[in-house]
Amino acid sequence: MATDRSSSNDFGRPLRRIMLAVLFLLLVGVFLLWRIDSPRVERFRAQITDRIVPNLDWAMAPVTGTVNLLRDYQSYQRLTVQNQELRSELRKMQTWKEAALQLEQENARLLDLNKVRLDPRLTYITGVVLADSGSPFRQSVLLNVGSRDGIVEGWATVDGIGLVGRISGVGKDTARVILVTDISSRIPATIQPSGQRAIIAGDNSSAPPIDFLENPDLVRPGDRVISSGDGGVFPAGLLIGQVAADPGGRLRVRLAADFERLEFLRVLRGHSVETVTEGASIILDQSRPDPASNTPEPLGE
């Protein structure tokens, strides 16, 4: 057995050397053939290429698929990175969008305040609404202005369109506003164009009723309701709303102010409010005798 193996090895080694030599010569011949610059050789090379290359598509398919797979994987990696970056940018843009919407709404409220046409004699202070009372029995809001800003109890407040309420309670840095819808609110009003006088009485609803109307037959739904200025609490000419009728036929006021979105309020400080600072005294008619002087004098003895 050992002799057979050694003889086969002795026969195989020269054969491998011959095959390597033939392969080397073949490669050298192909190299030289491809290096020769001759029209005949060029035609020969073209014929060889036309015969061999189309038949090697099956052999190149795995290589082409592998290359395409690597390219797709690299493209997928790039898309993953870009997707993560886009998600991060989208979150940032959503944050900026929310901030922009808030600024847009705030700007709209301030523009509404600037559109209010007031008496030139009236001056005002603009305050930010901090919170509301949150009570069904008392409707009020809190402003971020107070006595340090010169706020006085009783002053009227308006939003971008109409009357909102009056100051009822002043602190150093805050002030409370009783809304016109509060049950304790009473506003002397004038209904245009009829000129009828009335009282707008709050009842904790969004449309307070009209009380003490002089002649209801002269009032129609849609008539403007403004403050009359009677009593000196509210300045005259402030828009309150429009007349409307409820299902029961009672006249109410559809308020002009947007009570669902109270963010900024104007506190009007241009009107004068008379306050009693000293005790009242009785003014006697000088044409009448003093009752004290009518006491009978004692009879002389």
Side-chain angles (χ1 to χ4, degrees):
M1 296 294 294
T3 305
D4 295 338
R5 289 180 180 178
S6 60
S7 61
S8 62
N9 290 334
D10 293 339
F11 178 77
R13 288 176 182 175
L15 183 61
R16 286 196 296 270
R17 291 175 182 175
I18 294 172
M19 291 180 64
L20 289 175
V22 172
L23 180 61
F24 177 74
L25 294 174
L26 180 62
L27 292 177
V28 171
V30 171
F31 175 75
L32 294 176
L33 180 65
W34 244 254
R35 296 293 296 176
I36 297 174
D37 189 8
S38 173
R40 292 183 178 181
V41 175
E42 182 65 28
R43 287 194 297 269
F44 179 70
R45 287 198 298 261
Q47 291 177 0
I48 294 177
T49 302
D50 291 339
R51 289 181 177 274
I52 296 177
V53 172
N55 297 327
L56 293 179
D57 291 340
W58 62 270
M60 296 300 296
V63 178
T64 305
T66 303
V67 172
N68 292 333
L69 182 62
L70 292 176
R71 290 178 179 175
D72 293 341
Y73 179 73
Q74 292 176 354
S75 178
Y76 175 76
Q77 284 185 327
R78 290 194 298 269
L79 289 176
T80 302
V81 174
Q82 291 178 359
N83 190 20
Q84 293 176 352
E85 293 177 354
L86 290 175
R87 288 179 181 274
S88 177
E89 292 293 333
L90 181 60
R91 286 192 293 268
K92 293 179 180 179
M93 291 300 295
Q94 289 176 345
T95 303
W96 283 109
K97 179 183 177 181
E98 183 65 25
L101 289 176
Q102 293 178 359
L103 290 175
E104 183 180 0
Q105 294 175 356
E106 182 176 339
N107 187 33
R109 301 293 182 275
L110 292 175
L111 289 176
D112 287 339
L113 286 179
N114 290 331
K115 293 177 183 177
V116 179
R117 296 294 182 263
L118 300 175
D119 190 332
R121 294 173 296 178
L122 295 176
T123 59
Y124 57 86
I125 301 173
T126 301
V128 179
V129 177
L130 299 178
D132 55 27
S133 63
S135 171
F137 306 103
R138 183 176 176 85
Q139 298 192 7
S140 63
V141 295
L142 199 65
L143 296 181
N144 68 338
V145 290
S147 59
R148 60 171 182 159
D149 303 295
I151 301 298
V152 176
E153 187 169 349
W155 282 358
T157 60
V158 297
D159 73 342
I161 302 177
L163 183 64
V164 173
R166 59 181 174 83
I167 300 294
S168 177
V170 180
K172 180 181 179 181
D173 299 322
T174 58
R176 183 166 294 278
V177 178
I178 296 296
L179 304 181
V180 297
T181 57
D182 187 80
I183 196 171
S184 63
S185 175
R186 298 292 184 273
I187 306 173
T190 301
I191 301 177
Q192 297 177 343
S194 63
Q196 295 293 304
R197 298 297 180 94
I199 297 293
I200 310 303
D203 61 349
N204 288 346
S205 68
S206 59
I210 300 176
D211 289 338
F212 304 105
L213 187 60
E214 296 176 357
N215 191 350
D217 296 334
L218 299 178
V219 177
R220 297 289 183 271
D223 291 349
R224 283 169 52 89
V225 181
I226 62 174
S227 60
S228 64
D230 296 337
V233 178
F234 294 98
L238 298 180
L239 178 63
I240 301 175
Q242 292 182 338
V243 177
D246 62 10
R250 187 177 185 181
L251 294 179
R252 293 180 175 269
V253 177
R254 184 182 296 110
L255 299 174
D258 188 0
F259 287 85
E260 297 296 330
R261 296 182 297 177
L262 293 179
E263 295 185 8
F264 303 94
L265 293 181
R266 277 182 176 179
V267 182
L268 305 182
R269 59 181 179 185
H271 63 283
S272 59
V273 178
E274 297 181 1
T275 56
V276 178
T277 57
E278 298 180 356
S281 59
I282 299 176
I283 302 177
L284 298 177
D285 188 356
Q286 299 296 329
S287 63
R288 295 182 180 181
D290 188 355
S293 63
N294 293 334
T295 55
E297 295 181 357
L299 297 176
E301 292 180 354

